[in-house]
Amino acid sequence: MKLPVISPIMKRIRNLRYRPEIKEIPPEQRKTGCLLATIAVTFRCMCKCAHCGSASYRASAKEEMSTEEIKNLIKDLREIGVNSINFFGGEPLIRKDLPELVKYVKSFGMGAAIDTNGYLLDREMASRLAEAGMDMVHVSIDSADRETHDRMRGVPGIFDRAVAAIKYSKEAGMTTRIGAYVDRERLNNGEFERLIELGRKLGAPLRTLTPVLTGKWQDAENERLNDEEKRKFRALLGPGVAYWEQATCNSPDAEFICACLEKDYLYITVLGDVTPCVYVPLSFGNIHREPLRNIVRRMWASNLFKLKACNQCLTNTDTFRKKYVNLKAKPGAYPTWIG
């Protein structure tokens, strides 16, 4: 398999706070080209977001991977060449073993990051995560207005907790970002600009997503930004202010790269399904039934990776949606299994 060149996502990994510890595997020594993996450690969450991308996934606490199973997965990911792990959910901090898992990631010299709504990230937890070696924290904020954010998340008081989580994470020495998204309404009513201003006040740049037609938004075609709106959105990006998905896409002219199409990225669900991305609900196999390396080889040999995602997420492209959206190869299952 031809290994991809180091992409902008690697530059992000190199900028992690614990850079001296990270033992990067050179391209010629990797068994795959993958650099970053996201692990969903739970689908449980206290929020009820209207735009949730994980809403279609279902798993009880009993179905979640155990601590040892996740550790074995982390080890397997390292063996195929992964250099950084991102913990995802649901809300990852619902898992009591999260600091232990972070420490295990760091024992391999890998980078560690988390996406969180901030509700459980108090000063004590921030300290525990930092002590374990957490490099980067993304705290989701949907609106700069307290009441609006609480309503969108369905949890009273979560705005104040998210803002406090950002402060605690920064105090603990972890690189901290606001996880935000911009849709047509929020772009045109000035909400995105207000979020940028909040980020300036908190000293936390925005890692921004545009609408991805998956999860609760699978059929929300009207949420996609048109070309003019994308130009308006991109004009608001800037170094240290806001970026689009990858930190290198931080200016109107910067190239947007789909990391999964570059084979720099993959995602493993709570149930062990291996998919190309958090936003691509296609499973190519399950780690409980066959070795990860075999699944990854099969996945990256797929014709899926011959598709082109011109300046947008793969899941949003008409070619992908025509072929894969609503595909039910395994009735009742989500993600759809095509391995």
Side-chain angles (χ1 to χ4, degrees):
M1 180 183 295
K2 183 179 179 181
L3 295 172
V5 296
I6 292 180
S7 70
I9 201 169
M10 191 66 241
K11 295 178 183 178
R12 174 181 168 189
I13 294 171
R14 283 174 171 162
N15 288 330
L16 295 174
R17 184 170 65 91
Y18 285 89
R19 183 171 54 190
E21 289 184 22
I22 297 176
K23 302 176 181 66
E24 178 186 327
I25 298 177
E28 66 275 9
Q29 294 180 18
R30 296 187 196 121
K31 295 179 182 177
T32 72
C34 188
L35 300 169
L36 173 64
T38 288
I39 302 173
V41 292
T42 183
F43 288 146
R44 291 176 289 155
C45 186
M46 63 285 291
C47 296
K48 301 175 181 64
C49 306
H51 56 283
C52 181
S54 298
S56 297
Y57 293 88
R58 292 288 183 271
S60 66
K62 292 181 180 179
E63 295 174 290
E64 294 171 4
M65 287 184 281
S66 67
T67 302
E68 289 308 309
E69 286 174 326
I70 296 176
K71 285 183 175 181
N72 287 335
L73 171 59
I74 290 168
K75 183 179 179 181
D76 289 345
L77 287 166
R78 182 55 175 167
E79 287 180 352
I80 67 169
V82 170
N83 281 308
S84 190
I85 302 290
N86 183 60
F87 293 102
F88 196 69
E91 171 48 50
L93 289 174
I94 285 178
R95 292 276 304 227
K96 303 296 185 183
D97 58 355
L98 209 285
E100 180 181 350
L101 294 173
V102 172
K103 188 174 181 179
Y104 192 70
V105 166
K106 298 306 294 183
S107 73
F108 290 97
M110 292 191 284
I114 185 175
D115 281 275
T116 175
N117 59 40
Y119 193 81
L120 300 174
L121 216 176
D122 57 16
R123 180 174 276 112
E124 180 183 355
M125 178 55 70
S127 177
R128 290 181 62 198
L129 291 176
E131 184 178 349
M134 183 71 81
D135 297 293
M136 184 171 288
V137 177
H138 304 106
V139 181
S140 298
I141 297 185
D142 302 325
S143 172
D145 177 74
R146 176 183 288 102
E147 292 182 2
T148 302
H149 177 76
D150 288 1
R151 184 176 66 254
M152 292 176 71
R153 292 266 152 178
V155 180
I158 196 169
F159 176 85
D160 290 336
R161 284 178 177 250
V163 168
I166 291 171
K167 294 178 180 178
Y168 297 146
S169 297
K170 286 171 61 66
E171 285 176 4
M174 294 178 287
T175 299
T176 309
R177 301 285 183 261
I178 290 176
Y181 76 94
V182 56
D183 56 14
R184 179 171 289 115
E185 179 181 0
R186 294 149 59 74
L187 178 64
N188 294 322
N189 68 11
E191 181 62 68
F192 183 59
E193 292 175 86
R194 289 189 286 275
L195 271 173
I196 288 176
E197 184 56 34
L198 175 65
R200 285 195 176 102
K201 290 179 181 178
L202 295 174
L206 273 61
R207 182 196 64 176
T208 313
L209 302 178
T210 51
V212 179
L213 305 186
T214 192
K216 288 185 177 180
W217 271 1
Q218 178 171 300
D219 300 314
E221 297 278 353
N222 61 318
E223 295 291 351
R224 280 195 288 194
L225 302 183
N226 59 37
D227 291 341
E228 181 180 347
E229 288 165 335
K230 283 182 183 177
R231 285 192 290 272
K232 181 177 179 180
F233 157 63
R234 291 184 66 123
L236 297 171
L237 304 179
V241 177
Y243 55 90
W244 186 9
E245 192 91 31
Q246 289 99 31
T248 53
C249 191
N250 60 7
S251 70
D253 301 320
E255 182 182 8
F256 176 86
I257 294 176
C258 179
C260 82
L261 279 182
E262 291 289 317
K263 301 179 182 177
D264 278 347
Y265 178 77
L266 58 80
Y267 171 58
I268 301 94
T269 75
V270 167
L271 298 175
D273 285 301
V274 179
T275 82
C277 175
V278 170
Y279 306 112
V280 179
L282 303 176
S283 172
F284 284 83
N286 190 287
I287 61 171
H288 299 309
R289 293 192 284 272
E290 61 181 311
L292 174 68
R293 69 177 75 85
N294 294 353
I295 301 171
V296 173
R297 286 197 195 102
R298 182 170 62 247
M299 180 171 72
W300 283 343
S302 166
N303 287 332
L304 175 71
F305 292 90
K306 296 178 182 178
L307 298 179
K308 301 296 181 184
C310 300
N311 206 25
Q312 64 176 317
C313 174
L314 172 65
T315 306
N316 283 3
T317 62
D318 292 334
T319 304
F320 176 91
R321 294 181 65 72
K322 201 172 291 184
K323 185 169 184 178
Y324 295 109
V325 171
N326 294 322
L327 178 68
K328 297 297 180 185
K330 190 178 181 183
Y334 196 94
T336 299
W337 191 84
I338 66 171

